[in-house]
Amino acid sequence: MVQEPYFFLSYARKDDRDEFVKRFHDDLVLELRRIGADSTAQPPFRDVERLGLGADWSRVLGAAVGHCRAFVALYSPAYLHSEYCGKEWTAFWERLLRYRRETEMDVPALVPVLWEPMDTEVPDEVARFQYHEAGMGPEYSAQGLMQILRTDPTGPEYHRIVRKIAARVRIAAERFRLPVTPGLDLGDVRGLFPTAEHQGAAAPGTGHVQVFLAAGVTDPLPQGRQRPEYYGRSPREWTPYHPPKHPTVAHRAQRVIVQEGYTSNIEVVDDGLSSRLDDTMVNNQTSILLVDPWAVRIQTYRDALADYDGQNRPATCVLVPSHDSDEETADELVWQDLSRVLWRNWRRQNDPHDPLFRVQVGTDEFDAQLAVMLAVAQNRLMEMESTTPYRLPAGPPPPPLSGLTIPGPADPAGPRPPPTPPDAVPASRPAAPPPQEPPRHTGAYGTGDPEEPPGEPLATKDTGR
C-alpha cells in the first residue's frame, strides 16, 4: 500500500532546540485523535522518526512530500533560509497548483504556522498563505508559537492554537485528495526560498560565509571505502554522522551559520578552489572547507586541497567530521593520507590557540566547533582589513611637500623677518666666509675621522694640537 502521511511536518532543524518541535508534533497528533481524526493507518511524517539506518533520505522525504494529505510548515527566519525546507515547501505547493488547474479549486492543505517572528524577506508565493486567523491571539502574531510553548506549554492559549491547526489539517486530509507526485526526489527540486545559494554570491562585507565541500559519492565510492550509506549521488548529500540527525553535513553547517547571524552558500571543491578563495578575500568574506577524509583519495580533491595547503589563508576554516561508529574512517591510514596532502596545516590540527583547523570532529562537537571557527575567522578578517595599507589611485605623482619646521621658544623681541635665501645675499653686506669645519674631538684614543683606516698609528696624524 502506498503510504500517504496524514500530514508532513516541515521545519528547520535549528528550530528544534530543546525538542519544542517534537512537543508540538506530539500535541498536534493527540489533538487530532481527540477530535476524531483517524491517522493510525497513514501516520504523520516527521523526518527524525521516519528515516531509518541506511535510508536514502532525499527519496524518503520526497515520497512523503509527494504523497502526504496535508503539509504543516513551521515558518521562521531559519525556515526561509533552509535549502531543504524550500524544496519541501515548493514540491507540495506544486501539487496544490496541479489540483487548481485540474479542478479550479484551492485546497487549504498547506497549513502555515508562525513558529518564530520572521525578520527576513518572504517570497510572494509564501506570503499568499495566511498563517494567522481569529482566535489565535496577539501573542502568537507577535512572538510565534514556540515562545508560547516555551513559556506556558499547558496554558489555554497554546492549546487553543493547536486545536485550530488540527482542525485545518483534518479538513485537508479527509475532504480532499491532492494529485500525488510518485518518485519525487527532493534533490532534484529547486526551492523557491531566497537562500544564498539561489541568490548567487553575496555583496562584499555582508557577513557571508562561503562553504566548500570535498566529499565522495556512492558511485563510485572513494578508493578503499566500502560503506555507501554515508554518501549520495552528489557530494552535497554526504552524511558523516550516521544515522543522520540532520539530512546532510552541509545542511547542518548552514543551520549553524544562520544561527550565528550569517548567510551562506555551498559549492563543491574543484580545480578552481584557489580562485574562489581569492574571491572570498576580495569580497571580505570568510570561508569553510568541509572535508571528507576519504576525499584525498580522489585526484581532483587531492590536487585542490594540496594547492590550498601551500597558500596562506588566515580567514579560511577546515573542518573534518568523523563518527565514532564509522570503523572504516577510524583506520589510521585514512588520516595519514589526509596529513600528507594537508601537511603544512596538519601541524596546527586541534591546536587550542588556532581553532581554524579541526579534524575528527564528532557529532556532539560539530555545532560548537563550527561556531567558534566562524567567530575567529570573522575577527581575523576584520583585523586584516584594518591593517591593509591604503593604495593611492593611479595618476600623476603628488607635488613635493614644503619643508617641515619645528617651532621654537617665543622671541621676546617679537617676530623676525624671514631668512634670506643663501643665493640672494644683499650687496650691502659682504658675503660670509664659508663655515669652518668644526674641530674633531679625538678623545683619549685617537681621531674620529671616518676615513682613518683601522690600525693606523696615531703618531702619523696631525691632530692640530
Side-chain angles (χ1 to χ4, degrees), residues 126-463:
V126 177
R128 294 175 59 183
F129 291 87
Q130 181 72 18
Y131 56 77
H132 184 276
E133 65 179 53
M136 285 188 164
E139 186 177 355
Y140 170 76
S141 300
Q143 301 182 18
L145 186 59
M146 186 177 72
Q147 180 64 21
I148 297 174
L149 177 57
R150 176 188 285 117
T151 57
D152 193 6
T154 61
E157 185 173 12
Y158 170 69
H159 286 287
R160 182 171 63 251
I161 296 171
V162 172
R163 284 196 296 270
K164 288 184 174 295
I165 296 171
R168 292 274 305 276
V169 170
R170 184 185 183 188
I171 291 173
E174 298 187 2
R175 294 187 185 179
F176 303 94
R177 281 295 182 270
L178 294 175
V180 299
T181 307
L184 176 63
D185 187 335
L186 287 184
D188 300 329
V189 177
R190 183 175 179 84
L192 288 174
F193 291 3
T195 59
E197 181 180 2
H198 296 158
Q199 292 176 338
T206 56
H208 189 74
V209 180
Q210 179 68 55
V211 181
F212 296 94
L213 277 174
V217 294
T218 52
D219 188 18
L221 286 169
Q223 180 183 356
R225 196 68 153 131
Q226 303 296 325
R227 300 182 63 177
E229 62 266 26
Y230 294 95
Y231 303 102
R233 294 177 298 173
S234 163
R236 298 171 184 270
E237 300 177 16
W238 173 41
T239 56
Y241 306 125
H242 206 85
K245 181 178 179 181
H246 305 279
T248 66
V249 72
H251 187 198
R252 184 170 181 178
Q254 283 192 306
R255 179 182 63 84
V256 176
I257 293 168
V258 170
Q259 187 172 359
E260 294 302 311
Y262 303 100
T263 59
S264 66
N265 68 301
I266 297 176
E267 295 184 19
V268 177
V269 169
D270 57 20
D271 55 8
L273 175 63
S274 179
S275 175
R276 291 293 294 114
L277 289 174
D278 288 341
D279 291 342
T280 62
M281 291 298 298
V282 171
N283 292 331
N284 195 26
Q285 298 168 357
T286 55
S287 51
I288 297 173
L289 293 176
L290 296 176
V291 180
D292 173 14
W294 295 89
V296 297
R297 298 186 176 183
I298 302 172
Q299 185 70 41
T300 302
Y301 291 146
R302 183 165 60 248
D303 293 345
L305 293 174
D307 184 51
Y308 158 79
D309 190 65
Q311 302 168 5
N312 179 30
R313 301 288 185 184
T316 298
C317 318
V318 176
L319 192 151
V320 185
S322 66
H323 201 284
D324 293 339
S325 64
D326 185 0
E327 300 86 358
E328 285 184 353
T329 304
D331 187 352
E332 187 64 27
L333 292 177
V334 177
W335 299 101
Q336 288 179 6
D337 291 345
L338 183 66
S339 68
R340 292 189 187 100
V341 175
L342 298 173
W343 65 275
R344 288 184 177 87
N345 284 278
W346 193 261
R347 291 175 293 180
R348 61 190 182 109
Q349 58 163 325
N350 301 339
D351 182 352
H353 303 292
D354 188 2
L356 296 194
F357 190 90
R358 288 288 179 262
V359 302
Q360 295 180 314
V361 178
T363 183
D364 296 333
E365 307 170 298
F366 183 90
D367 292 11
Q369 293 277 15
L370 183 54
V372 170
M373 285 181 158
L374 290 171
V376 173
Q378 188 67 24
N379 289 338
R380 288 188 181 179
L381 194 65
M382 295 171 63
E383 291 173 0
M384 288 188 294
E385 183 181 13
S386 64
T387 56
T388 301
Y390 177 72
R391 296 183 180 180
L392 291 174
L401 297 175
S402 59
L404 300 179
T405 59
I406 302 176
D411 191 338
R416 297 182 179 181
T420 306
D423 57 349
V425 178
S428 60
R429 291 183 58 192
Q436 299 293 325
E437 182 179 0
R440 299 207 173 128
H441 300 281
T442 62
Y445 300 100
T447 160
D449 189 344
E451 300 298 328
E452 176 185 358
E456 182 178 355
L458 296 177
T460 63
K461 297 282 287 185
D462 181 7
T463 63

Side-chain angles (χ1 to χ4, degrees), residues 60-82:
V60 172
L61 289 175
V65 174
H67 290 83
C68 65
R69 299 182 182 181
F71 185 90
V72 179
L74 304 189
Y75 285 1
S76 71
Y79 188 86
L80 295 179
H81 282 91
S82 169

